[in-house]
Amino acid sequence: MEPAEPSCDGAQTDLLSYCTVPRIRQEIAAFLGIKTASYAIRQYVLPLVETSKLKMTIPDRPGSPRQTYYKARVFGQSKITACQSYWTGRLFA
């Protein structure tokens, strides 16, 4: 039996919505209302990077001052959702 994937809390869900465009550490900390960027990255961003929900623009240099973070795109997700909505409406109409 595989362990369940950790769920996102409210702040992490909001952060995923905020990071639809690449964001620097200071922007993320300000968005979360946290004074220190390193704490924001350690507590909120890195867990999302480890679960592949956020991506780094410079993955070979995680400590780079030019590092930005953005929401990982799930390919085909919008098409799947659209198809599910279409067929659900057709089957149960």
Side-chain angles (χ1 to χ4, degrees), residues 2-78:
E2 291 185 33
E5 183 176 322
S7 62
C8 291
D9 65 5
Q12 287 179 326
T13 303
D14 292 342
L15 182 59
L16 286 171
S17 298
Y18 180 66
C19 290
T20 55
V21 296
R23 305 285 184 174
I24 61 172
R25 300 161 53 102
Q26 291 79 8
E27 288 176 319
I28 292 171
F31 174 77
L32 294 171
I34 298 172
K35 290 182 181 181
T36 58
S38 60
Y39 178 80
I41 298 301
R42 193 172 52 251
Q43 291 296 325
Y44 295 96
V45 175
L46 290 182
L48 292 172
V49 170
E50 290 171 0
T51 58
S52 299
K53 292 178 182 175
L54 278 181
K55 299 278 187 185
M56 293 185 276
T57 53
I58 313 169
D60 345 341
R61 299 191 61 207
S64 171
R66 290 185 261 170
Q67 185 66 263
T68 59
Y69 301 89
Y70 63 97
K71 182 179 178 181
R73 180 168 179 243
V74 178
F75 291 103
Q77 183 177 20
S78 60

